[in-house]
Amino acid sequence: MKKWSAALVLTLIVSLLASACSSGGGSSTQGADGGKAADVVELKFTTWGELNSDSVEAKLAEEFNNTHPNIKVTFEPVPGDGYATKLTTSLASGQAPDVFLIGEGDYFKYVDKGVIEPLDEYIQADSAFNTDIFQPDLLNMGNINGKLYYLPKDFNPLALWYNKRMFDEANIPYPTNDWTWDDMINTAKQLTKQDDKGKIKEFGFNATKWEYPIYIYLWLHGADIGSEDGTKAEGYMNSDRTIAAMESYIALSKGDDRVSPTPQDTETMGGDSSMFMTDKLAMMITGRWVKSDLDKSDVQYGSALIPTGPDGERASIIAAAGWAMNANGKHKKEAYELMKWLSGTEAQQARSEGGKVLPATVKELDEVKTTEVVDKPVIEMMDFAKKPISMRSANAPVFTEQFNKAVERILLGDATVKDALDQAAKEVDSKISK
């Protein structure tokens, strides 16, 4: 067997070392004089939706690459319905992107799984970055157990949206800031119409089974589905106040005098947004993400503050999203730079121009406020936002799963409100205690 020379061995060693340096997400390029330039770190980030190449996030990725020559970013969006599954799978297999987007309802869950990197040390060492640029409430949402895990992307407070054409045809004044919940339901009764056969063809309000509007209704009636620290359901999810509030809420979509479609009605008629745009639904509580679809239709719409409850209280929920860093990523310093870019002022401006979301930064939101007319109440609802169970505890998935099951049972007529909530509370506490 032929012996290798020392020079050849040295050459192979150098070659292997160069190959190792270029693997694991990094690459190297040759300088103009033939020498090796600085390594280029490769990163990936993902969001739900926005699959076209002209999306805001795709353009932001391109701009980042143009201004950060030592980092190459690839944007890999995932359709909304498959996002959570793909992200969870990629995290479990160690193949997750370096930076990914998380909705506010899952903030606790992913931190509890230990897959999110805390950002405090990076921010403290970065004198050029000041978190004061963000809306305090939005930044605080990402602060869990004394550590900051998320940088805000955008937000959408829930508000009341109404169909002006349906109000005008019925000669009914638009909602005002003085409206109570009873005022809204009384108006919804006037706006609910039947055809010649007695079938309801237009609904005044949508008492959706989506938990966020239900939480708001419960809060307005002094109820909640769990303790403030998210450790107990018994006495909250099945309290007398919660049962009474849920009975009145469910009644809105039951019986001959109902003002709301059932979930089956809504599905059959194409969803609440479709019903709203085709003058089959007069009012709904939802987020500003519907704006882009509404503006593409010929519907005439307005927004208003969510009406107050019996005690004069007002409440809403901020639907938000935050950028998170993969705790097991190989290039965390560079991932932090990407997070700053995706949450920074340029990114906030770019996203808010489309009208789908509101900027999470103070200055940019103030600029929107100076020109916003139609959706001004949506922004004002931010002042009345409360944290649902999903933003208060790592036990949130248990609460929401059992509560949603209870709502399904009630709507299907499989159980009374009391029986369904009693069972749900028992299941929650049993699962939490294990």
Side-chain angles (χ1 to χ4, degrees), residues 169-183:
E169 289 179 357
N171 198 27
I172 295 175
Y174 300 147
T176 70
N177 291 349
D178 297 327
W179 259 24
T180 64
W181 193 274
D182 287 342
D183 291 330

Side-chain angles (χ1 to χ4, degrees), residues 8-22:
L8 179 58
V9 172
L10 180 60
T11 300
L12 289 172
I13 291 174
V14 171
S15 176
L16 288 171
L17 286 174
S19 175
C21 288
S22 65

